[in-house]
Structure formats: C-alpha cells, structure tokens
Amino acid sequence: MIKTLNGEWLFKATDQNEWKKATVPGCNFLDLMSCGDIYDPFISTCEKDVYFVGEKDWEYKRTFEISEEDFECDDVLLNCKMLDTICEVYINSQFLFAGDNCFVAYSKSVKSLINVGENEIRIVFKSPVNYVSDKYKKCPTPVNSNGQNGIVHIRKPQSHFGWDWGPVLPLSGITKDIELQFVNTAKIDYLAVTQRLDDGKAIINAKADVTSFGNYDSEIKVTCPDGSVLTQMGNSAQFVIENPELWWTYELSANKKQPLYTVSITLKAGEKVLDEQSKRLGLRTIELNREIDKYGRNFQFVLNGVPLYIKGSNYIPPDSFITRFDKKKLDYMLDAVQFSNMNMIRIWGGGYYESDEFYDACDERGILVWQDFQFACQAYPFFDDDFLSNVKREVEYNVKRLCHHPSLAVWNGNNEIEDMHMAWVYMTKYVDWTEKFFYHILENEIRKYDNSTPYTPTSPVGEKHNYGVGSDNVGDTHLWAVWHGLKSMNYYRKRLTRFCSEFGFESLPDMKTIDIFAEHKGNYSLDDEVFNAHQKCENGNDKMVYYVASRFNLPKKFKDMVYLSQVTQNECIADATEHWRRNKGRCNGSMYWQLNDCWGVCSWSSIDYYGNYKALQYGARHFNAPLSVSIEDTKDYVKIYALNDLNTPQDIAVSYEIFDFVGSTKEADEKQITIDKVKNECVFDLDVKELSKTYDLKRTGIAVRLIK
Ligand code: BMA
C-alpha cells in the first residue's frame, strides 16, 4: 500500500523563523513565488533579483498520520523519487539519510523511526551555489563557460546554473513524488525484462528481485497487443512469442500506436495481492552501425534491419521549474515532434534523464530517443571515489529504469566534453579520467544491466578519445560554424558529415511570448535590457540581425523582425537538412539544435516556452517528410531528387516547372518513377550552362512537385 506525502508542506530558509505554505512536488522558487516573496524570474529582468534563493539553505516539513493497522506491516519505506539535491532527511527529528544526487530515487526503511499517531518529516537542502563553491575551493575544476565554476561537483541539471539559452535558477526542493510504502510479507524491488528476436520469434525474459518477510506466490504474465495472455509462476520466466508484432517508428509503421507487450508480476499470499509491477516492451532490434566503410566510419541507426535516416532535434529541460511540465504539456510537445516528421529526439546531457511518462509516450507513439548521460561541456572529477560511486549509483538507477523501453535507441556518455577539452588540456588528470570513465567504466556499468542498447561514449564522437572528434569521416558532429562561427548560411553544404547531431540557428520567439516576458510594453528594441536579459548567447541578438540582413532588407517594425528571424532560421535548417538527406548513406541523420525552451527567450528553438510554433516547426514538417523532393542547385547543375525514407517502394511522379517572375511557365517536365524503399533517386539533372542559353537565370525560378 502507498500513502502519498505529496501536497501541502511548510517551508522556510534555514536562517528565517516563519514557516510558509509549500507545494510538493515543487521547489523553493515556485513556493516563494506563490507566497508573493519573489517576482516571477521569467518576467522582464527579474531573474537577476532572485539569485539569493540559490545561496540559501531551505527546509521543508510536514506531518503524517500512521494508524495501528499501518504500523502492523513488516516494513515501512519512505520513497523519494527526486530530491534536488544536497539534503538531509529527518523523521521525527531523527536523521534518516543524506541525499546527494537528484538523478536517483531513494527508498529507505522508516519503521524504526515512526510511531502510531502523528509523525513529522523534515528535509533540509543545502544551498547548491555554496555547496559547489565549497567543493570547487577544495578541488578546482576546469573553467565553466556557462556560469559558475565547479558545478560539475553536484549531480543536478547543469543548466540550473545557467546556459546559453537558460536562466540561472539553481533550485532546491522535492521535485517528484514522495510517499510511504507499507510492505506486507513481500515486495518487488526490481523487475528486469528483456526481449530478443530469434528466427522470426521473440523471446521475452523476466526476472524479479523480491524482498520477503514470509511465504508468497508469484505469477508473471505477458499481455500481448491482441489481448492474449501468457502466464508462468515464479520470480523469473521465459516466454516465446511465435508471431511477434514488431515495434517501429511511426514513420515506418501503419499503426498510430505501436504494439507493446506488457510484462507484469504479481506477488500474492492466498488471494491477497501483496505487490504488483509491470513494464511494457516493444519487440524490435536497434543497432548503431559504426562499421568502417568507403567514407570512413559510419554512424547509422538500424531498426529491425532497416537503415534509418534520422530526422530530429535536441531536447532541453522543458521548464526551468520542471514540476510544471505535466502530461498535457508532454503530449503537446510530442505532437509537435510528430507533426514535424521527426523520428528521434535527443535528450541532451545538461538537463535530466527523462521521466517514465516521457519514455512511455515515445514507446506508444513510435519515436526514438537518444539519451545522454547527464554530463555536459566540462570535465568531471571521476578520480574522486565518492563522486565516482555516486555516479555509478546514478547509472544503475537510470539504466535499470529505462533500458526496457523500445524507444531507447542509444546511450550517449556525454555532451561535448571532448570537443571542449582544449580548455583544460593542461589538467591531465581530468583528461585521463574523462577517457577512463566514458570509454571504459561507464560502458561496463551499463552492460551490468543492459546488454543490448547501443552505446556511444560522447557526442560528437571521433575515432577514439580526443582523436578525430568533429571530423566529417567518422561518427557524429556538432556543426556550429554557422551561427557561433558566423559562416554563411549555406556553409553546411560543404560538410558531408556522417551524422549531424547538433547544428542550430536562433530566432525570436512568437510576439505573444515576447509580450509576456517584456510585459506588453511595446516599442520593443533588441537593444533593450529585457531583450538582453532574455538572450543568453553572447552577441546573440546581433548575430540574428546579421543573418537576417544577409537575406533581407532589415525591417522597420519589430514584429517584422520577429517574422524574418524565423523565416531565416527555417531557411538555414531546411537547406542543411535537405543537403544531408540527399546524401543519405554517407550522412545518416541530422538533428537540429534545439526543439524547445525552458523559459521565454530568444534562442535556437523551433517551439517556444509557451508552446508557440516558430516557422521552423512548420518547415520541419516539409523538409523532414519521409517521402519528398529536394533541389540541389549549384552554379553548374540543378539536380532534382526524390527522397524515400519509407520502408516500401513508392510509385510517384516528380515534375518541375521553369517560370519567370511574371508568372508564365517556360518549360516543364514530369517523370513517373518507382522509388525503391529507403532510397533516394536523382530524377532530373539540368545543366545550368544549357539553361542560361535560353533563360535569363536572374529572372527565372524553378518549382518542383511530388505527385503521389
Ligand atoms: C550545443 C549544446 C549546448 C549549447 C548549444 C548552443 O553545443 O551542446 O551546450 O546550448 O550548443 O550553443
């Protein structure tokens, strides 16, 4: 039996006396906002006024009742799904445990500390800002280009301390469910489920770890998508599925919802159910092909034997105050992902491991997930035994929690640590331990619990540690020469990367979003304090103006600047994506930076914090469409391609029209083709020199059409 401890709590800074109302799950910033003690940091320039919150220690408390019946059980556990971060938990003023990692759940017996009647739980959180700076003094770490030095010492989202799209809001609090679990006779600690495909059959294995205080029976069931049920007794079982329904991405599937097999275990004493747990599997194989080929070393996802072209984007924490991100918002976000024909999202390494709900939804919808371990852009002190064992617990917890999900396509060690290592190359201990951890320790730890999900040590990845990182011939790349490096927008066409897991271009968010954070003041200018406060990339607003000016005359009205910034962003990302899609086989995926925002901000996102689509979100629907046409225009030729990412051949017609700017068609042609499954085909190849003999090319356009 579970008794939730969510709901109303009391909280205060430890240096204050007055307890005020708090809501759990939640955090100190949200509670202070509800009490009217701070302004909303998302509005205007208020972020800078609330820095003190992260510098204080905070405590939370509440009471709970225990009945005689409750107390009779064999054990009572306190389950905390997420405590952010450095904290001490007390029950009836007695110390229970200390938490030091917000990426793990804690489950502790409290039976000896509670009594029948009223009890009290109190949790004291140490200031993350002070914790990090104390640690940094004792153990200096490489410079953090994204804010406070030493944040690598704390296992909480690194972007809480600020990022080049996010505010500095290092929160403390109980950020997921907290509950009491009453254990009678037996309880399930962990249900491990695996699946593999063998000669047209699927083999499902299930094994439960159980803690028991007496006799019990256990039954394991598999419920198939067609409703049929297979049952076996015991704590472990193997099932053979004769005609498995395979799990696919929605792109490659006729199903709106993917077929899932539910594996459940029930512990019983007679007819009484003692405990139950279930997990859902999708039957599929997923591989990351890293073979040597004629271009170098591949980076290609293969689902059920079908090589994929990955079309996706990078996902950051969807709210600086994560407890506000509910199922409705999650569904809205994933609807946007599907609307834009993305088959993968990358959960980036400076935020969170995503929730069970997130993965469940991706399993159902058929969206692949690339999951980074939560290490980003800096070197971490893996040589410190306490830090390393803390991280190992985090790996165990999250790998066990997520590895059964069919949507999980890859574990990635970290974001850009090798890419940035020149900044700390003289700190050899860090360099050595980065290699040790991501190339040896982490993979070993993962394989203790998950022997099938592909692993890549870092993104971007080279030939080996600190060798060949960022090269077009091996692995994935993060291409930032456009935007950060101010290269022209069509520079991407010069890059034939194997897989572009990051590239991006900023735009302004929707006017409705601007009106919220700039308080409807109007007369906006990108030089205003507010626009500087809501632009976290160095010179970001100037860069936006620079690129818009490279394509259009700069507009006079602010709202037109918003519009053109979004059009420019879409043009850039569309052109690059189509280029890489045309080169499928060599390049096997592109995921733009970034899908979403964590507050109202000028950033690289395609959907803003309040859920407004930018032009790019609409554009992606077209440039990611699994069956589409694309033009490669150079000074010598214009090639017209049909692109087919579907797993079936397609009968289509492709037509083009050459027109002048007064509206008359000068030339047209159409071809019927059957395009092979997961293949591209060049349908027309026009010679520019030839065309220029007939047309004034400066006054001529070409339109291409796909007819199904
Ligand atoms: C990428 C990311 C982030 C960053 C983004 C934009 O490289 O990994 O660290 O926010 O660039 O600069």
Side-chain angles (χ1 to χ4, degrees):
M1 189 193 58
I2 298 287
K3 187 181 266 191
T4 181
L5 295 179
N6 289 349
E8 200 173 293
W9 285 56
L10 294 169
F11 87 116
K12 68 176 186 66
T14 52
D15 61 0
Q16 286 165 350
N17 295 323
E18 192 192 348
W19 290 91
K20 294 189 174 181
K21 268 192 196 164
T23 303
V24 168
C27 71
N28 49 356
F29 284 94
L30 289 175
D31 292 328
L32 288 163
M33 275 154 68
S34 306
C35 298
D37 287 359
I38 58 170
Y39 290 115
D40 183 347
F42 282 17
I43 306 301
S44 188
T45 57
C46 294
E47 176 203 349
K48 65 175 170 30
D49 305 328
V50 298
Y51 187 70
F52 76 94
V53 177
E55 293 177 308
K56 283 182 182 281
D57 298 343
W58 297 88
E59 54 190 324
Y60 280 75
K61 71 172 185 183
R62 69 163 281 167
T63 56
F64 55 91
E65 289 292 322
I66 294 289
S67 68
E68 277 181 19
E69 193 193 334
D70 291 341
F71 203 71
E72 266 167 26
C73 59
D74 293 305
D75 201 1
V76 183
L77 301 172
L78 173 70
N79 297 332
C80 310
K81 304 272 169 72
M82 189 179 274
L83 298 174
D84 194 351
T85 300
I86 306 301
C87 62
E88 290 184 352
V89 180
Y90 296 87
I91 302 286
N92 296 328
S93 303
Q94 298 169 80
F95 175 76
L96 176 63
F97 73 96
D100 58 0
N101 191 328
C102 93
F103 302 128
V104 300
Y106 293 95
S107 183
K108 302 281 175 188
S109 174
V110 290
K111 184 87 195 292
S112 61
L113 303 181
I114 56 173
N115 31 51
V116 174
E118 191 178 86
N119 294 268
E120 186 197 65
I121 176 169
R122 189 166 64 92
I123 307 183
V124 186
F125 291 94
K126 185 174 169 57
S127 147
V129 170
N130 296 340
Y131 176 82
V132 162
S133 74
D134 292 349
K135 282 274 183 187
Y136 182 72
K137 275 181 214 142
K138 289 187 204 123
C139 175
T141 51
V143 164
N144 174 15
S145 55
N146 283 304
Q148 195 184 343
N149 283 332
I151 65 170
V152 293
H153 285 295
I154 194 168
R155 297 309 296 147
K156 95 202 259 22
Q158 302 285 272
S159 54
H160 281 181
F161 296 91
W163 216 263
D164 59 2
W165 36 258
V168 182
L169 296 166
L171 61 86
S172 292
I174 306 159
T175 38
K176 277 196 178 177
D177 296 339
I178 181 164
E179 66 191 22
L180 293 172
Q181 183 182 1
F182 298 88
V183 182
N184 274 306
T185 316
K187 86 174 233 310
I188 303 153
D189 295 324
Y190 178 59
L191 171 64
V193 288
T194 59
Q195 55 90 28
R196 77 191 148 82
L197 298 176
D198 193 2
D199 203 17
K201 295 177 187 156
I203 291 122
I204 294 178
N205 281 297
K207 185 176 174 303
D209 297 337
V210 172
T211 302
S212 65
F213 299 88
N215 294 334
Y216 68 94
D217 295 318
S218 66
E219 182 185 76
I220 301 184
K221 275 197 303 206
V222 173
T223 308
C224 302
D226 64 4
S228 58
V229 180
L230 309 169
T231 307
Q232 285 182 41
M233 300 306 288
N235 284 350
S236 64
Q238 183 173 82
F239 300 87
V240 178
I241 311 286
E242 292 294 337
N243 293 305
E245 282 190 59
L246 293 191
W247 186 94
W248 291 99
T249 55
Y250 67 94
E251 178 179 65
L252 299 183
S253 158
N255 300 324
K256 201 157 188 294
K257 281 197 158 192
Q258 293 310 307
L260 297 170
Y261 290 72
T262 306
V263 184
S264 53
I265 176 162
T266 309
L267 307 186
K268 281 185 176 175
E271 279 314 293
K272 192 173 169 217
V273 173
L274 303 171
D275 202 3
E276 285 178 302
Q277 246 187 56
S278 64
K279 282 187 170 166
R280 291 187 309 175
L281 288 176
L283 306 181
R284 57 100 179 95
T285 59
I286 185 87
E287 292 150 89
L288 178 57
N289 174 5
R290 300 294 328 275
E291 299 283 302
I292 294 195
D293 60 13
K294 64 178 171 187
Y295 307 112
R297 190 182 284 284
N298 209 344
F299 197 97
Q300 181 185 47
F301 289 92
V302 181
L303 176 65
N304 299 325
V306 177
L308 303 179
Y309 186 92
I310 295 299
K311 292 158 294 212
S313 57
N314 286 269
Y315 172 90
I316 62 164
D319 197 317
S320 292
F321 305 130
I322 196 65
T323 52
R324 295 194 289 204
F325 190 66
D326 56 17
K327 179 74 168 85
K328 204 169 148 207
K329 289 181 186 166
L330 169 64
D331 281 334
Y332 183 86
M333 184 84 75
L334 296 179
D335 283 347
V337 167
Q338 286 186 266
F339 172 84
S340 297
N341 283 310
M342 297 178 191
N343 52 14
M344 183 182 276
I345 18 186
R346 169 175 175 231
I347 297 170
W348 165 80
Y352 293 94
Y353 300 90
E354 257 308 328
S355 63
D356 299 341
E357 294 73 25
F358 187 101
Y359 270 93
D360 282 342
C362 290
D363 292 347
E364 285 165 15
R365 289 165 178 261
I367 300 169
L368 292 168
V369 182
W370 163 318
Q371 178 71 56
D372 282 10
F373 283 89
Q374 295 307 304
F375 305 98
C377 299
Q378 287 182 82
Y380 288 76
F382 297 116
F383 47 79
D384 176 321
D385 288 344
D386 289 343
F387 185 82
L388 184 62
S389 49
N390 190 0
V391 164
K392 282 186 181 171
R393 281 193 296 276
E394 169 185 324
V395 174
E396 174 177 355
Y397 173 73
N398 287 292
V399 173
K400 281 176 154 183
R401 183 171 71 86
L402 298 176
C403 67
H404 64 282
H405 287 282
S407 53
L408 178 67
V410 65
W411 293 113
N412 168 42
N414 69 74
N415 175 70
E416 292 184 351
I417 294 186
E418 286 173 47
D419 216 15
M420 296 197 160
H421 97 285
M422 287 315 283
W424 57 82
V425 72
Y426 57 94
M427 296 168 99
T428 48
K429 196 164 159 186
Y430 281 96
V431 178
D432 293 348
W433 274 90
T434 299
E435 177 173 10
K436 255 191 215 169
F437 182 74
F438 292 108
Y439 284 79
H440 304 285
I441 299 172
L442 177 55
E443 190 170 9
N444 285 342
E445 292 302 307
I446 295 170
R447 294 297 170 232
K448 288 182 185 167
Y449 321 106
D450 173 5
N451 59 17
S452 65
T453 310
Y455 171 72
T456 183
T458 182
S459 179
V461 70
E463 192 60 64
K464 56 185 186 184
H465 180 241
N466 280 344
Y467 185 81
V469 180
S471 137
D472 276 353
N473 302 331
V474 283
D476 66 325
T477 52
H478 293 188
L479 300 183
W480 281 104
V482 180
W483 188 263
H484 285 311
L486 286 177
K487 288 260 192 232
S488 68
M489 282 165 57
N490 57 12
Y491 161 83
Y492 291 121
R493 291 228 197 161
K494 297 195 182 119
R495 299 296 300 263
L496 279 165
T497 169
R498 308 308 312 267
F499 189 107
C500 188
S501 38
E502 276 188 23
F503 66 112
F505 200 95
E506 277 201 11
S507 68
L508 288 161
D510 197 276
M511 275 308 279
K512 294 196 277 296
T513 296
I514 290 173
D515 280 336
I516 295 173
F517 72 66
E519 298 179 293
H520 300 271
K521 291 210 169 108
N523 255 339
Y524 300 135
S525 147
L526 285 180
D527 301 329
D528 285 352
E529 253 199 315
V530 179
F531 283 90
N532 282 318
H534 289 256
Q535 167 60 267
K536 297 291 185 177
C537 170
E538 213 179 338
N539 303 322
N541 290 340
D542 294 342
K543 284 182 173 165
M544 236 176 328
V545 174
Y546 166 80
Y547 278 113
V548 170
S550 77
R551 293 286 299 122
F552 304 101
N553 291 331
L554 283 178
K556 297 213 167 49
K557 289 189 190 142
F558 191 84
K559 72 175 177 36
D560 294 337
M561 185 63 194
V562 170
Y563 178 79
L564 287 182
S565 75
Q566 293 193 11
V567 169
T568 312
Q569 178 191 33
N570 178 56
E571 280 188 1
C572 177
I573 304 298
D575 194 64
T577 307
E578 286 191 31
H579 158 66
W580 289 317
R581 284 192 67 188
R582 288 193 300 267
N583 286 285
K584 181 164 75 177
R586 180 171 188 158
C587 177
N588 289 308
S590 49
M591 306 172 84
Y592 65 76
W593 184 270
Q594 68 204 63
L595 174 67
N596 58 330
D597 282 329
C598 63
W599 71 320
V601 63
C602 312
S603 81
W604 300 268
S605 69
S606 56
I607 182 166
D608 74 26
Y609 171 70
Y610 297 98
N612 300 299
Y613 285 19
K614 295 181 178 176
L616 176 57
Q617 195 69 43
Y618 297 99
R621 181 173 176 77
H622 302 288
F623 63 70
N624 283 337
L627 183 63
S628 58
V629 279
S630 175
I631 305 175
E632 182 185 9
D633 52 331
T634 70
K635 62 179 184 12
D636 300 320
Y637 59 82
V638 176
K639 288 184 182 171
I640 299 168
Y641 287 85
L643 312 175
N644 183 17
D645 286 348
L646 301 171
N647 196 23
T648 45
Q650 299 289 320
D651 293 323
I652 53 169
V654 177
S655 72
Y656 75 86
E657 237 172 82
I658 292 179
F659 57 86
D660 65 19
F661 290 158
V662 289
S664 35
T665 300
K666 299 290 183 192
E667 181 181 318
D669 199 356
E670 181 175 318
K671 267 190 205 165
Q672 300 284 335
I673 58 163
T674 301
I675 182 167
D676 215 354
K677 61 181 185 180
V678 288
K679 283 272 151 37
N680 294 340
E681 190 170 325
C682 178
V683 188
F684 294 103
D685 183 354
L686 309 175
D687 188 324
V688 171
K689 229 187 244 153
E690 282 303 310
L691 291 174
S692 67
K693 286 183 191 158
T694 323
Y695 309 113
D696 173 0
L697 295 184
K698 286 213 169 95
R699 294 166 192 277
T700 309
I702 184 161
V704 176
R705 199 166 288 153
L706 169 80
I707 306 147
K708 281 192 245 178

